[in-house]
Amino acid sequence: MRLEGEGLINRGRKVSFRFDGHSYEGFEGDTLASALLANGVKLVARSFKYHRPRGILTAGSEEPNALVTVGTGGSQDPNVRATVQEIYDGLEAVSQNRWPSLDFDVMAVNDLGAPFLGAGFYYKTFMWPKAFWEKLYEPVIRRAAGLGAISGDPVTDKYERGFAHCDVLVIGSGPTGLMAALTAAEAGADVILAEEDSTLGGRLLSESGEIDGVPARDWAAAMAERLAEMGNVRIMTRTSVTGAYDGGTYGALERVAHHRPLAKGLAKECFWKIAAKRTVLAAGALERPIAFQNNDRPGVMMASAVRAYVNRWNVAPGQKIVLFGNNDSIHDVAADLLAAGVHIAALVDSRADATCQLDVPFYAGAQIVGTEGRKALEAVSISRASGVEKVAADCLGMSGGWNPTLHLTCHMNGRPEWNEAIAAFVPKVGMVPGLIAAGACNGAFSTAACLGEGVGAAQAACDALGLQAKAPKRAPEMPSAEDRPYSIAPLWAVAGKGRAWLDFQNDVTVKDVKQAAAENFRSVEHMKRYTTQGMATDQGKNSNVQALAVLADATGRGIPETGTTTYRPPFTPVAVAAMAAGAADKGFAPERFTTSHRLTVAANAPLIEAGLWYRPSYFPKAGETTWRQSCDREVGYVREAVGICDVSTLGKIDIKGRDAGAFLDLLYTNMFSTLKVGRVRYGLMLREDGHVMDDGTTARLADDHFVMTTTTAAAGEVMKHMEFVSQGLRPDLDVRFASVTEQWAQFAVAGPKARDLLNGLLDSPIDGESWPFMACGDVKILGVDGRLFRISFSGEHAYEVAVPARYGESLFQLLRARAEAMGGGAYGMEALNVLRIEKGFITHAEIHGRVTAFDIGMQGMMSKKKDFIGKGAAARPGLVEDDREMLVGLKPVGAVKQLLAGAHLYNDAAEPTRPNNQGYLTSVGYSPTLGSYLGLGFLKGGRARHGEIVQMVDHVRGVSTRCEVCHPVFLDPEGERSRD
């Protein structure tokens, strides 16, 4: 029923919307919940297990009942909370978890079988016959599970990702948050004020109190205007901070377009990553229910929600309202209802010493022991000393006290502490570094206390940042507001027969929790999983503390000893599409192009994916009909003249700092702190489990400056590994690093004529003495600053020349033209692969995650003079045995000359079956230089079996080839060509 009054809705703007196929009208500013209540709709959902009728319970994001699906097809969003969803013209919402309709749900028959469907029923019921589980029980349970459902169509909505930085992040905009934001901003801090509601003010929007002699909502509006005019304050409404992470980082979901029709190109949501130097948590508190018989009827609500709908949206949730609680909040609610002209049928206070100054039927020391009405509340039963009295009611507002909204403080595994005075958990100081909890979320429930804690928290944050915060205001200068002590007599559940509900969404009752304790699920975490308590979209915000109190009573422990379950992010549900914003289609696997890409395409070179990069497979010439012809020609360029290859895709990580050498010593198996400036060294990197992660070269450009090269595929993995080592293992080291892969274009110049080609471009020519093998340094190429490395992945006399990426295309064009003039040219990945196989050089085909340094014959690179990551694990028994699969070379010797990567190896006379498997091939190619197919692979005891004949069998392609086991280096084993 809509009431007269101001509220925060725009009565001059009517809005039409639909729910379950029926058309309704509301006003601008209404939520779907307030608009449905205004239209007399109380039944909005069905519960998860028993499909019992459910109505609107709350007025905020903690809502467990009123979940709806909004939109259709690829734009369909399930489990949208009606209490948060703002209405707009054309909004189409439908109820969930019912069939064929909300009013008549066939699955409600489950309620009749409730005695058989208690806590853990699925563990006990579906045990026999055993064969039925996979074929019958599990499919039926999975089909029945869940609340809302996605459409299965591809997502059509746009989602975005945002990044923000601030000095002080204030979470919540009630009295605490507003004062904190203002105090920090006036001290000169850059402030972000995040509020999940559409309007600033928090609980002040729903209450009728005063601050500084003006209505609280007017004071909040004035504060919002003042903050909006400050240039160092960013206000983010409709933004829920969902998680606290390391380094002052917070995740936040902004609902960009849920309150209006989605326009083309407009993002529906934006997932923010906010980096804050300091944070003030001003998230307020959540009212908790009281468990009593049939306390789940549509029309049973939180008392604070009744107050919110009356004051903010001018909606009376009923015409005969009963209030039941154990604290003073219900008296404040009653006063507001009377002021709005709403009839109060009874005010029931469980405290025996409670008094009431209001003109309402008042029951002190009484309790609600039951309700009547299935699809809507019709009456309540009140028990007091003189007996049980039935009172007609269509709405019941209950209040079991308040729980500080401390969830974010627990996201780093911190545990809150029990505060007996307020019968609730409160956060401990320092649970999240840099975060200060203030106001109601810290256990301060009066408005004056919240205002004061907001100022104090902001001043502490600014002091920690070195900002000159204003001196604390004296009490008379603080905004005047109510400062009444919080009074509560804990009441978790009313004794009596029948089911008393704790978790409304999951259908968990007091009996279920007691049953879990009786069956020895006494840990709060075990109870949670056994009963499914607090495991739905609201994550137990309404029921967790209440349930653990019941568990504490059932086990004979105190509430502090019982403890809480683990609060994990996200605080409110987040769409996967929002967290993965930008990761669909090419965003999931971006196309990365080298600076030479345009010229490569113009040369008709087929492209292959290497990591996420697109690299040329080969460069065809007129008259060539197969790729092998092109590949053989390109191999010849390198072996006989000069070849050019774009190697920009290799990961390049710039490393600086006084301890850069020590940092590299920890990362690599071999020593890098002793590397001379102007020199390059090959390095091998292990994972913590002792297996090879990556290999590559690292150059020392100055005493405190190195450049690391990684393989193309592992560049991201290595960077992540370095971050972990720096932050988690050795944060004491003075070292900084950054990926510069895309900032440099780098080209291999390989072949006997490589130096001659480069000397035609370098401002200062080089020779073998000034630029020996494994030398590096700064050079100028036709006047452009660059770098030159004398390294080789082909085994030939070779260099890699690097220039800033903007010069990459021009340099590639110039290098290729000069190479062609010298009898060479560009070569692609096929030729590169043949060249490196001839030399026995490994790639991730060989270091695929299951091999050790011992397996690839590089155990000699594992320094005995220092520690490094993976050293101890690599020496474990089983990882250094002589019968392990070791890297070998393979050459065909029989009539069949074909080798195939992925094929398996067997002893020459053995049956090619799995028990006889001796190893496998990882890389193969035809060597025009040696006139033979060559292969690299792993063979059991391979290093001791050179010269032995084995058979290669590819069962899939039906190929069998006899091979000679060789040393993996087929060409120039002494390395004379590269050092020439």
Side-chain angles (χ1 to χ4, degrees):
M1 180 179 69
R2 191 73 73 173
L3 300 170
E4 295 299 324
E6 297 178 6
L8 293 178
I9 56 174
N10 179 9
R11 291 183 183 267
R13 171 79 170 82
K14 287 189 175 182
V15 176
S16 297
F17 67 96
R18 289 170 64 84
F19 175 67
D20 270 357
H22 299 284
S23 297
Y24 300 97
E25 280 192 345
F27 295 105
E28 186 179 57
D30 265 323
T31 64
L32 180 58
S34 67
L36 288 174
L37 287 172
N39 283 276
V41 178
K42 293 191 175 182
L43 175 61
V44 297
R46 293 279 177 165
S47 65
F48 171 65
K49 186 161 61 173
Y50 299 128
H51 287 251
R52 286 173 64 87
R54 290 286 190 262
I56 295 162
L57 184 72
T58 73
S61 62
E62 70 273 23
E63 176 61 34
N65 289 346
L67 305 181
V68 300
T69 296
V70 175
T72 59
S75 188
Q76 180 171 310
D77 278 335
N79 298 325
V80 175
R81 291 147 291 160
T83 50
V84 172
Q85 176 64 58
E86 299 168 63
I87 64 169
Y88 55 84
D89 283 320
L91 172 67
E92 184 85 34
V94 296
S95 57
Q96 305 177 157
N97 197 42
R98 80 290 184 275
W99 183 84
S101 68
L102 180 62
D103 188 62
F104 179 72
D105 183 7
V106 171
M107 291 298 290
V109 70
N110 285 2
D111 204 21
L112 300 176
F116 306 101
L117 302 176
F121 74 93
Y122 31 83
Y123 298 121
K124 309 167 188 175
T125 308
F126 303 111
M127 300 293 290
W128 181 90
K130 186 177 181 180
F132 275 36
W133 171 254
E134 187 174 329
K135 297 179 180 179
L136 177 62
Y137 299 147
E138 185 180 28
V140 170
I141 291 173
R142 289 194 178 278
R143 190 175 185 86
L147 293 167
I150 58 175
S151 67
D153 297 335
V155 174
T156 56
D157 298 326
K158 180 182 177 182
Y159 293 84
E160 291 182 338
R161 183 177 297 174
F163 300 87
H165 299 77
C166 62
D167 293 324
V168 179
L169 169 65
V170 180
I171 304 171
S173 70
T176 307
L178 290 173
M179 288 302 294
L182 180 64
T183 303
E186 287 184 337
D190 289 325
V191 177
I192 290 178
L193 177 56
E195 170 56 57
E196 68 177 1
D197 204 340
S198 60
T199 308
L200 300 186
R203 66 179 176 86
L204 301 180
L205 305 177
S206 303
E207 299 179 357
S208 60
E210 292 186 348
I211 298 179
D212 263 357
V214 300
R217 70 175 61 175
D218 294 342
W219 179 87
M223 285 286 287
E225 290 181 9
R226 185 173 175 181
L227 290 169
E229 292 171 356
M230 302 180 78
N232 57 334
V233 177
R234 178 177 186 171
I235 297 174
M236 299 178 69
T237 55
R238 299 185 178 90
T239 302
S240 175
V241 178
T242 60
Y245 305 94
D246 290 337
T249 302
Y250 296 83
L253 181 70
E254 181 184 7
R255 304 186 311 279
V256 179
H258 282 278
H259 59 292
R260 53 188 168 186
L262 191 60
K264 186 176 182 180
L266 180 67
K268 178 182 280 188
E269 295 176 350
C270 180
F271 191 76
W272 289 89
K273 181 178 179 180
I274 301 175
K277 296 178 182 177
R278 289 294 184 275
T279 302
V280 176
L281 180 65
L286 298 173
E287 195 171 27
R288 62 192 179 219
I290 299 173
F292 53 87
Q293 185 181 13
N294 293 325
N295 60 329
D296 64 329
R297 310 279 193 204
V300 178
M301 307 173 65
M302 303 311 304
S304 59
V306 175
R307 190 181 196 187
Y309 288 116
V310 168
N311 287 332
R312 179 172 177 176
W313 291 287
N314 299 131
V315 172
Q319 298 182 22
K320 295 172 288 186
I321 297 180
V322 172
L323 297 173
F324 172 42
N326 61 355
N327 63 90
D328 290 341
S329 296
I330 55 170
H331 296 260
D332 298 332
V333 176
D336 284 2
L337 298 187
L338 289 176
V342 178
H343 174 65
I344 298 177
L347 176 58
V348 183
D349 195 321
S350 64
R351 298 171 296 178
D353 58 349
T355 60
C356 181
Q357 308 301 319
L358 303 173
D359 185 17
V360 297
F362 178 61
Y363 299 79
Q367 298 176 346
I368 302 290
V369 294
T371 66
E372 295 181 6
R374 181 159 178 81
K375 296 179 181 177
L377 181 67
E378 297 175 0
V380 300
S381 296
I382 305 172
S383 174
R384 50 181 178 169
S386 59
V388 176
E389 180 179 337
K390 186 177 293 186
V391 175
D394 56 2
C395 178
L396 169 61
M398 54 182 171
S399 176
W402 296 83
N403 292 324
T405 311
L406 48 73
H407 303 68
L408 286 174
T409 66
C410 302
H411 284 179
M412 293 187 181
N413 291 325
R415 296 285 182 170
E417 60 186 359
W418 181 251
N419 185 325
E420 193 69 35
I422 63 172
F425 284 95
V426 295
K428 297 177 184 176
V429 175
M431 291 170 69
V432 174
L435 181 145
I436 303 172
C441 74
N442 195 40
F445 290 152
S446 75
T447 304
C450 288
L451 294 169
E453 288 207 0
V455 172
Q459 288 176 335
C462 291
D463 288 345
L465 296 175
L467 297 173
Q468 190 60 44
K470 289 188 175 182
K473 297 181 179 180
R474 296 177 181 175
E477 299 178 26
M478 288 286 291
S480 60
E482 65 84 16
D483 197 17
R484 185 182 62 208
Y486 178 62
S487 174
I488 184 173
L491 175 63
W492 310 105
V494 175
K497 296 181 180 180
R499 289 175 292 175
W501 306 91
L502 296 170
D503 188 324
F504 296 87
Q505 193 172 93
N506 281 324
D507 282 330
V508 179
T509 66
V510 170
K511 180 182 177 182
D512 290 328
V513 174
K514 291 181 177 180
Q515 183 67 32
E519 296 184 14
N520 210 32
F521 291 92
R522 301 165 66 88
S523 161
V524 67
E525 295 285 6
H526 292 164
M527 178 275 292
K528 171 183 176 179
R529 285 154 182 80
Y530 191 64
T531 64
T532 69
Q533 155 67 38
M535 294 179 65
T537 58
D538 72 317
Q539 285 294 291
K541 294 183 180 69
N542 302 102
S543 57
N544 267 2
V545 175
Q546 192 181 5
L548 69 88
V550 173
L551 179 65
D553 180 67
T555 57
R557 298 174 296 185
I559 293 177
E561 291 77 24
T562 302
T564 64
T565 56
T566 302
Y567 296 111
R568 299 182 178 90
F571 172 69
T572 51
V574 179
V576 173
M579 289 190 285
D585 301 322
K586 291 183 181 179
F588 177 72
E591 294 176 327
R592 302 182 73 179
F593 301 119
T594 62
T595 57
S596 63
H597 179 75
R598 187 180 66 84
L599 297 175
T600 299
V601 172
N604 297 317
L607 298 174
I608 59 174
E609 292 184 59
L612 295 175
W613 292 93
Y614 284 78
R615 301 184 68 177
S617 181
Y618 55 92
F619 292 85
K621 293 284 188 181
E624 293 175 345
T625 57
T626 67
W627 69 269
R628 266 282 309 279
Q629 291 175 299
S630 303
C631 176
D632 291 353
R633 170 177 49 79
E634 292 170 11
V635 170
Y637 287 165
V638 176
R639 295 293 181 220
E640 299 167 11
V642 61
I644 307 299
C645 182
D646 191 332
V647 295
S648 305
T649 63
L650 297 176
K652 293 176 280 293
I653 301 174
D654 202 82
I655 306 168
K656 289 186 177 181
R658 184 180 64 250
D659 297 324
F663 181 62
L664 289 170
D665 283 347
L666 182 60
L667 290 172
Y668 281 120
T669 63
N670 48 328
M671 194 79 75
F672 275 85
S673 56
T674 58
L675 183 65
K676 295 180 180 179
V677 174
R679 302 292 290 175
V680 184
R681 182 168 291 167
Y682 175 79
L684 192 69
M685 191 180 298
L686 305 185
R687 302 191 308 243
E688 289 184 300
D689 63 3
H691 290 78
V692 178
M693 172 184 283
D694 196 46
D695 70 333
T697 59
T698 294
R700 191 167 198 168
L701 302 180
D703 286 337
D704 61 349
H705 187 191
F706 294 80
V707 174
M708 176 191 291
T709 301
T710 76
T711 58
T712 297
E717 180 185 3
V718 170
M719 186 69 183
K720 183 168 64 175
H721 179 63
M722 292 172 65
E723 292 281 7
F724 168 72
V725 174
S726 173
Q727 296 180 37
L729 301 183
R730 293 300 305 272
D732 57 306
L733 294 180
D734 178 13
V735 62
R736 293 292 182 270
F737 45 88
S739 173
V740 293
T741 303
E742 279 142 335
Q743 279 64 49
W744 292 88
Q746 193 155 315
F747 305 96
V749 182
K753 300 179 181 179
R755 183 186 296 152
D756 294 338
L757 188 153
L758 284 174
N759 279 337
L761 298 174
L762 297 173
D763 289 10
S764 298
I766 61 173
D767 55 31
E769 185 176 343
S770 63
W771 219 273
F773 182 57
M774 300 299 275
C776 68
D778 295 329
V779 294
K780 282 188 178 292
I781 305 100
L782 298 179
V784 174
D785 290 331
R787 293 170 178 169
L788 185 65
F789 309 87
R790 187 173 171 187
I791 53 181
S792 175
F793 194 56
S794 61
E796 290 294 334
H797 185 119
Y799 303 84
E800 290 186 11
V801 57
V803 293
R806 62 184 177 275
Y807 299 109
E809 180 177 323
S810 176
L811 180 58
F812 179 75
Q813 187 173 24
L814 191 59
L815 289 171
R816 188 177 66 176
R818 287 178 173 264
E820 290 172 350
M822 301 173 74
Y827 64 97
M829 291 289 289
E830 295 295 346
L832 182 149
N833 203 41
V834 171
L835 292 165
R836 67 97 181 171
I837 291 173
E838 289 176 341
K839 285 294 298 176
F841 292 152
I842 58 174
T843 67
H844 274 269
E846 284 72 45
I847 49 174
H848 48 57
R850 297 194 299 113
V851 302
T852 67
F854 178 81
D855 298 338
I856 55 177
M858 295 187 183
Q859 62 271 27
M861 292 181 62
M862 298 173 64
S863 175
K864 294 180 174 61
K865 298 179 180 179
K866 69 178 181 73
D867 192 18
F868 54 84
I869 292 173
K871 183 175 184 177
R876 289 175 294 169
L879 297 185
V880 290
E881 307 302 327
D882 290 338
D883 62 346
R884 284 185 62 82
E885 294 173 343
M886 303 173 184
L887 182 68
V888 296
L890 295 156
K891 293 174 68 173
V893 294
V896 178
K897 303 299 184 183
Q898 189 176 11
L899 295 181
L900 295 169
H904 285 263
L905 301 174
Y906 303 89
N907 291 333
D908 193 25
E911 185 73 17
T913 59
R914 182 180 299 177
N916 294 329
N917 181 58
Q918 294 289 297
Y920 53 93
L921 267 73
T922 54
S923 303
V924 299
Y926 179 79
S927 168
T929 309
L930 300 177
S932 171
Y933 271 97
L934 305 176
L936 297 178
F938 289 88
L939 182 68
K940 289 182 179 180
R943 280 195 290 274
R945 299 174 65 175
H946 293 175
E948 188 176 321
I949 304 299
V950 296
Q951 57 175 326
M952 179 219 81
V953 179
D954 188 319
H955 294 88
V956 175
R957 286 165 283 195
V959 177
S960 179
T961 305
R962 298 181 74 237
C963 308
E964 179 186 353
V965 180
C966 311
H967 191 282
V969 180
F970 298 97
L971 180 70
D972 188 23
E974 301 302 323
E976 296 177 357
R977 294 190 185 208
S978 57
R979 290 174 171 80
D980 184 23

